[in-house]
């Protein structure tokens, strides 16, 4: 099966990566880490415990930051966890997942993972942008950012001047 080394996923169609659309795929090696499933933290801990019991090497990575709860509580409660296994162990891992009812027998080769998960190289397929349009959007964004900063500074200066004049009335 063909493998995207950047996203660490298998390509079901063999033409391009399902996440980033990259067409430079290679044959998967037995020790290549492959994204097997993406689940919430509770389900991921249940899956990794089953993999530990079965002796399947695995690796977990948080997909999201978890928002403000990770800062307040010191852990990511909202983040999803990606579980990776070596390519050589993928069939054994799928059997373990079926055994703990994490995936159904009727599901195909790809459990609840690849199609809609973001990747660091994911490309927008909805609106392809030319180089000139992308440059124009960046320039517009920079000008808009500077305008917003200018507006905030002017408003803060006006509020400070108003407060200063209000306190001078009481003296």
């Amino acid at each position: 099966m063909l493998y995207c080394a950047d996203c660490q996923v298998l390509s079901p169609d063999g033409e391009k990566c399902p996440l980033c659309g990259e067409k430079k795929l290679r044959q998967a090696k037995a020790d290549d880490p492959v994204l097997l499933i993406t689940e919430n933290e509770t389900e991921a801990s249940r899956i990794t415990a089953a993999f530990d019991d079965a002796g399947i090497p695995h690796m977990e990575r948080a997909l999201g930051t978890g928002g403000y709860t990770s800062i307040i509580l010191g852990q990511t409660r909202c983040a999803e966890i990606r579980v990776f296994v070596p390519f050589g162990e993928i069939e054994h891992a799928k059997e373990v997942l079926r055994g703990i009812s994490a995936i159904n027998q009727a599901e195909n080769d790809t459990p609840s993972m690849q199609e809609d998960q973001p990747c660091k190289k994911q490309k927008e397929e909805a609106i392809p942008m030319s180089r000139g349009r992308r440059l124009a959007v960046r320039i517009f964004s920079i000008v808009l950012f500077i305008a917003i900063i200018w507006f905030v500074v002017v408003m803060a200066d006006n509020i400070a001047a108003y407060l200063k004049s209000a306190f001078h009335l009481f003296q």
Side-chain angles (χ1 to χ4, degrees), residues 3-13 15-25 35 82 114-125:
Y3 174 78
C4 178
D6 292 332
C7 302
Q8 297 179 328
V9 296
L10 297 174
S11 174
D13 63 1
E15 294 178 14
K16 63 179 183 174
C17 174
L19 297 180
C20 67
E22 182 69 37
K23 292 184 180 183
K24 293 181 183 178
L25 305 175
L35 174 62
R82 287 181 162 184
Q114 300 176 351
E115 280 79 24
D116 51 27
Q117 299 299 328
C119 177
K120 63 184 175 184
K121 284 182 56 181
Q122 188 166 6
K123 300 173 185 170
E124 281 190 27
E125 294 181 22

Side-chain angles (χ1 to χ4, degrees), residues 59-100:
M59 175 178 54
E60 304 86 36
R61 287 189 209 146
L63 181 60
T65 59
Y68 65 89
T69 57
S70 63
I71 297 169
I72 296 171
L73 301 174
Q75 58 183 345
T76 57
R77 294 191 182 270
C78 301
E80 290 189 326
I81 307 295
R82 287 181 162 184
V83 179
F84 295 82
V85 295
F87 178 70
E89 296 285 331
I90 200 162
E91 290 304 320
H92 186 221
K94 286 180 184 177
E95 289 176 20
V96 170
L97 289 177
R98 286 185 196 97
I100 63 170

